[in-house]
Amino acid sequence: MRSRTLVFLAALVALGGIAASAQAQSLTVLLPSEFANLDPVEILSGDQTMVMYHVYCRLYTFNDDMEPTPDLIAHESLSADQRTWTLKLKRGARFHDGTAVNAEAVKYTIERMRRKGGSQRVLFQAISEIRTEGEDTLILTTQKPFPSLRNSLAHPNAGLVSARADAALGDRYGVQPVSCGPYAFKEWTRGTRIVVVRNDAYHGARPTYDQIGFQFVPEVTTRLFMMQRGQADIALRLGPAEARQLEGAKGVRLLRIEGRNIFYQLNLALAPTSDPRVRQAINHAVDKTAIIQRVLQGAGAPARSVIESMLWGHTAVGTWAYDPEKARQLLREANAVGARVVLLSPENRYLLDSQVSQAVAGYLKAAGLTVDLRVIGDWAGYIDAIKKKDFNLYMLGWGGSTGDPDQVLQSIFHSRRAGALWNLGAYVNKDVDALIDAGASTFDETRRRRIYADVQKRIFDEAPWLFMYRVTSFTAVGDKVKEIHTLQGPEFHYVFPLAR
Amino acid sequence: MASSIPGPGTPSPPPAPRGRRARLPATGRVGLGILAVLALVAAIGPSLTLDPYAQDLARALEGPSRGHWLGTDQLGRDTLARLVAGSRLSLLIGVGATLFGLVLGGSAGVVSGYAGGRLDGAFTRIVDMLLTFPGVLIALMVVAVAGTGVTNVLLAVGLRAVPVFGRVARASTLVARERDSVTAARALGASPARILVRHIAPTLINSIVVLAALQVATAILVGATLSFLGVGVPPETPEWGAMLNTGRRYMLQHGQLIVYPGVAIMLTILGINLFGDGLRLALDPRRTRGVLLEL
């Protein structure tokens, strides 16, 4: 009798434990900004990348040092001429819809990417031929040696797409994606959140949580309050003021993120910023140090190049000194005193972005320009606005999300992309083109570093950006989160075990 | 919003004899006083304060000092100067939008009420439909289509007031139309236009004036709401709603930034509502026959 009671009690306790652990199995992540879709063809923000990291599997993935490491690859080999890669896939991986992840699926994904032509097509442009051999061998041939192929394949842009789902869903694929990541897409309530659930058939280690809700909370104060009240487990992009509020809070730890390179791309195809003297004047007119100290409250360091220190190959070229008198003089020389410039700024996308833009507008006015500042709150709307190319300056942050400088240079500075994302400012320099191409086609890292140092110097001198700062932000993590990996530059995290 | 109950300490005046001049109750005079101060600040204040746009990052987020009586904001701009400049903008949006709604809605309502028939039916349906939308929503839709900026905010807020004025003007016209004087004028062969302007419009003044006074408050609030939501005036503009929105981001370090514009909005709305309520009492035909106000 007594033993029965004990068994009953033990069962009750066990049930309670299971219920409690079931409760603990769901995670809430607060993202500052929403985005249009989760399609690897067009990745336009780090917050989007973070969600995709959980839904999409890729041949390679990034470790905490942002080096590509094999994920779905069982064996890789490179031919003697360094142009042909033979990649043998692991067996047994399945998409969320049950179809097999095989060489054909990878081929389909890369061809789809190239066919649809998103802004990151540059990552795969070097590939000249894709062949499959049997079920699980993929043979990629590149026009020239292509050293950052593994980086490209590790980026969510190479997130594998289920051909069957893609055909069935058509245009809706991007808003209900089907891939083979640790979590499967469940639902997207626009303006509110995206829910993903554990993929029990995941090829790697079993994902920790039953589900993860990525909730969109643009207001930084709201993210802080939700974190303080235990309504969220991870909150991204808190500023120094919010971080101070959380210091010493029970059950919350803070991760310091050395994040993106924040800059304003200048329009070289539109007056007055088509004049190099005006671009120099703009760089001299803005006191970056004061902005970092006062607006960002110390959360940043002045940018010293178009490639920041989150990427290897970074060269600290220099900074444009704050010199308002020189700025005014350059504007006089360029006959641009009183000229109107359109400045586009996002809001809640980067740390204190619209506040920084107001400060910049104030400095440009003080230098003698007429500034038309337009702040656009939603990120998708902001992308539409910058694509119209009627800006003189627009704010952007770039975090080197492939871990290779080639991506930044190809995307923003190669004339091939002039007038399109992300070279909307139409920077064109044939010498720089040649150098970028040279750097992208040698495995000799010493040579690549030398080339990139040269490129950075040349670009810096032409002032195609208003150089600003590398931003520091904070991520708050609750104690329910056991394992979290951080990619600093792109400012995102993933909460499943790293592939081995 | 506005209440028709007089505040404490205001004994209801006995019904005034015919022809006596109306007097504004005490609370109404307090409201008028607040408005007078506000108008004075809006008129001459900006010439006395610093440049509300001048930024000085080295002096950002400072408390009150001799140079900056109310301290500075996150870009080191003088809070007092921005508050004072904001009074001008708020009054401009409040009064401008109300006038816009009054002229457009009032004239449409009078014509509709006088003409009757199908025109009136259609007008009533449209007004009823528009009134089912919350005012802020109408203004938001207008701004979404037309874009942001002071002029567009003024139009958006004004458009919201059109059905409000339209309905009151039409109702009053329906009553006025049946007056003997109007029947007489019609019998004498007066044109509809003449009847509207000479015989009907004057009878509407009381109700429209009271409504307009109270609508100014609503217009200022809706304008501030648009800016608070970030779809109103450009971000650097010293507008109270926009200041509140920006201040919210620095709430934890520098709470004053949300207190000042908040209090400014509150006092302005209080003043207008007190004055509007007083006006209503003073002009109530059950209390007085007077049209002219003795302030």
Side-chain angles (χ1 to χ4, degrees):
Chain A
M1 189 63 199
R2 177 182 278 176
S3 63
R4 264 204 191 163
T5 315
L6 276 178
V7 169
F8 177 73
L9 280 177
L12 212 63
V13 169
L15 273 177
I18 291 169
S21 69
Q23 189 69 33
Q25 289 307 311
S26 107
L27 216 58
T28 300
V29 180
L30 307 184
L31 300 180
S33 69
E34 205 178 4
F35 29 82
N37 62 56
L38 289 170
D39 195 320
V41 162
E42 194 65 294
I43 298 184
L44 301 172
S45 86
D47 292 340
Q48 181 189 14
T49 314
M50 177 163 169
V51 178
M52 293 183 68
Y53 230 79
H54 292 82
V55 174
Y56 283 89
C57 66
R58 302 163 316 280
L59 295 183
Y60 295 85
T61 191
F62 290 113
N63 63 16
D64 293 354
D65 298 323
M66 271 208 88
E67 294 155 351
T69 53
D71 186 2
L72 279 167
I73 298 286
H75 179 78
E76 60 175 18
S77 67
L78 181 59
S79 66
D81 68 353
Q82 296 182 315
R83 287 184 48 229
T84 303
W85 297 73
T86 306
L87 306 175
K88 196 163 163 51
L89 273 59
K90 283 180 187 162
R91 294 201 160 197
R94 303 219 155 256
F95 284 108
H96 300 142
D97 62 1
T99 51
V101 177
N102 51 25
E104 199 54 50
V106 180
K107 183 170 183 245
Y108 177 83
T109 297
I110 297 175
E111 282 173 348
R112 176 181 186 270
M113 171 80 198
R114 286 151 63 107
R115 189 176 69 239
K116 296 209 171 185
S119 63
Q120 294 289 300
R121 194 171 38 170
V122 292
L123 295 178
F124 308 98
Q125 68 194 5
I127 299 171
S128 54
E129 195 194 359
I130 312 168
R131 276 189 303 127
T132 61
E133 213 173 77
E135 177 79 349
D136 40 46
T137 303
L138 188 76
I139 297 161
L140 294 176
T141 311
T142 56
Q143 291 150 352
K144 290 175 187 167
F146 183 44
S148 59
L149 180 82
R150 294 155 95 248
N151 301 70
S152 292
L153 292 174
H155 192 274
N157 268 121
L160 298 182
V161 173
S162 156
R164 187 168 83 182
D166 192 28
L169 292 165
D171 288 343
R172 293 200 321 280
Y173 176 82
V175 293
Q176 44 189 110
V178 178
S179 184
C180 41
Y183 290 88
F185 175 85
K186 186 181 168 208
E187 63 183 11
W188 189 338
T189 313
R190 280 276 161 196
T192 309
R193 65 178 188 160
I194 290 176
V195 176
V196 299
V197 293
R198 174 167 48 219
N199 171 16
D200 285 313
Y202 184 54
H203 62 273
R206 182 178 155 82
T208 322
Y209 309 99
D210 289 326
Q211 70 167 42
I212 305 174
F214 294 96
Q215 210 166 321
F216 306 114
V217 182
E219 285 303 325
V220 64
T221 322
T222 313
R223 292 200 294 279
L224 168 71
F225 290 161
M226 287 181 75
M227 208 62 211
Q228 283 175 330
R229 289 191 200 119
Q231 293 165 326
D233 303 295
I234 299 176
L236 267 71
R237 285 210 288 293
L238 301 177
E242 290 77 33
R244 267 197 297 279
Q245 297 286 318
L246 282 172
E247 260 165 29
K250 246 180 100 180
V252 179
R253 60 186 195 275
L254 283 167
L255 307 179
R256 188 187 165 95
I257 314 292
E258 299 301 334
R260 292 164 176 258
N261 197 4
I262 302 284
F263 55 91
Y264 291 83
Q265 198 170 65
L266 305 182
N267 198 337
L268 279 67
L270 189 69
T273 38
S274 46
D275 188 323
R277 289 168 298 189
V278 174
R279 299 200 298 273
Q280 289 163 12
I282 287 175
N283 271 290
H284 282 305
V286 177
D287 187 350
K288 288 90 144 178
T289 314
I291 288 180
I292 293 167
Q293 289 309 321
R294 294 296 173 152
V295 185
L296 295 178
Q297 294 146 57
R304 294 156 303 174
S305 172
V306 293
I307 294 174
E308 260 310 316
S309 49
M310 75 285 274
L311 288 169
W312 68 265
H314 155 72
T315 302
V317 180
T319 50
W320 292 85
Y322 172 53
D323 189 344
E325 190 39 55
K326 192 165 180 189
R328 277 189 286 271
Q329 189 199 327
L330 281 162
L331 287 181
R332 276 195 299 274
E333 281 172 25
N335 205 13
V337 177
R340 178 173 164 276
V341 291
V342 175
L343 194 166
L344 300 181
S345 174
E347 186 160 49
N348 296 324
R349 172 69 189 89
Y350 308 115
L351 187 67
L352 292 161
D353 42 13
S354 62
Q355 297 307 316
V356 170
S357 291
Q358 272 195 53
V360 167
Y363 280 117
L364 297 185
K365 271 180 203 164
L369 290 165
T370 309
V371 185
D372 180 0
L373 169 63
R374 299 180 200 159
V375 175
I376 299 158
D378 82 298
W379 183 245
Y382 182 68
I383 299 285
D384 287 343
I386 61 176
K387 275 186 188 165
K388 287 187 190 138
K389 292 186 273 187
D390 59 358
F391 63 86
N392 291 99
L393 313 84
Y394 78 92
M395 191 192 226
L396 193 63
W398 204 273
S401 56
T402 66
D404 192 289
D406 183 46
Q407 177 216 19
V408 176
L409 297 172
Q410 293 279 359
S411 306
I412 309 185
F413 296 107
H414 202 290
S415 65
R416 205 181 283 125
R417 298 296 302 169
L421 283 177
W422 294 102
N423 189 356
L424 288 168
Y427 175 84
V428 177
N429 181 331
K430 290 296 167 199
D431 296 337
V432 166
D433 280 356
L435 285 167
I436 294 174
D437 289 339
S441 53
T442 172
F443 278 82
D444 181 347
E445 202 172 299
T446 321
R447 191 161 164 243
R448 288 188 79 195
R449 281 179 193 276
R450 214 169 44 235
I451 291 172
Y452 291 147
D454 189 9
V455 167
Q456 287 170 74
K457 176 86 179 70
R458 286 171 191 247
I459 295 175
F460 187 86
D461 291 342
E462 287 182 83
W465 289 359
L466 163 53
F467 290 84
M468 293 298 288
Y469 47 83
R470 182 166 182 201
V471 69
T472 304
S473 67
F474 296 87
T475 297
V477 182
D479 52 11
K480 212 158 86 181
V481 183
K482 300 295 175 220
E483 180 168 10
I484 182 163
H485 297 272
T486 301
L487 303 189
Q488 297 266 338
E491 291 174 43
F492 70 84
H493 312 273
Y494 59 94
V495 295
F496 51 89
L498 183 67
R500 281 178 231 295
Chain B
M1 268 304 294
S3 147
S4 61
I5 302 161
T10 320
S12 358
R18 206 180 167 82
R20 208 193 110 175
R21 292 193 158 197
R23 266 186 76 81
L24 206 57
T27 48
R29 271 176 273 156
V30 171
L32 187 69
I34 296 176
L35 290 185
V37 172
L38 189 73
L40 194 70
V41 166
I44 60 167
S47 57
L48 301 177
T49 52
L50 301 168
D51 176 4
Y53 290 97
Q55 74 181 35
D56 179 6
L57 290 192
R59 306 201 59 180
L61 296 180
E62 281 185 357
S65 63
R66 287 184 74 175
H68 302 284
W69 291 1
L70 296 183
T72 58
D73 69 2
Q74 77 287 356
L75 299 180
R77 297 176 296 203
D78 185 60
T79 305
L80 179 64
R82 294 182 69 74
L83 217 52
V84 166
S87 69
R88 189 177 274 189
L89 205 54
S90 287
L91 283 187
L92 175 77
I93 289 174
V95 174
T98 304
L99 281 180
F100 179 82
L102 190 155
V103 170
L104 216 65
S107 47
V110 167
V111 170
S112 161
Y114 185 74
R118 275 194 193 168
L119 178 73
D120 190 38
F123 176 79
T124 314
R125 295 296 169 286
I126 294 172
V127 165
D128 281 348
M129 193 190 72
L130 286 177
L131 285 175
T132 59
F133 288 102
V136 176
L137 197 64
I138 295 185
L140 263 178
M141 287 193 285
V142 174
V143 174
V145 173
T148 57
V150 175
T151 317
N152 285 348
V153 166
L154 203 149
L155 286 182
V157 177
L159 225 57
R160 181 209 58 89
V162 167
V164 179
F165 280 102
R167 168 174 266 199
V168 170
R170 174 183 168 271
S172 303
T173 308
L174 286 182
V175 176
R177 185 171 76 164
E178 305 306 324
R179 286 189 174 202
D180 292 342
S181 58
V182 175
T183 318
R186 203 181 295 133
L188 286 171
S191 70
R194 188 183 162 81
I195 293 174
L196 284 181
V197 173
R198 295 294 300 268
H199 297 278
I200 293 190
T203 67
L204 304 181
I205 286 177
N206 277 9
S207 52
I208 293 285
V209 163
V210 172
L211 181 65
L214 296 172
Q215 279 296 310
V216 170
T218 314
I220 290 178
L221 272 184
V222 173
T225 305
L226 289 182
S227 299
F228 180 78
L229 293 173
V231 294
V233 296
E236 71 273 25
T237 317
E239 202 272 350
W240 292 342
M243 287 169 72
L244 210 52
N245 185 18
T246 314
R248 196 176 42 137
R249 283 150 221 263
Y250 295 87
M251 197 164 69
L252 299 171
Q253 309 116 277
H254 207 69
Q256 307 165 36
L257 286 183
I258 52 173
V259 172
Y260 298 133
V263 168
I265 293 174
M266 196 268 289
L267 277 180
T268 306
I269 305 301
L270 181 74
I272 295 172
N273 281 348
L274 286 179
F275 174 68
D277 267 351
L279 210 57
R280 170 152 60 197
L281 284 176
L283 296 178
D284 189 336
R286 279 165 301 184
R287 294 179 190 278
T288 172
R289 309 295 299 177
V291 174
L292 288 171
L293 266 174
E294 184 190 303
L295 298 171

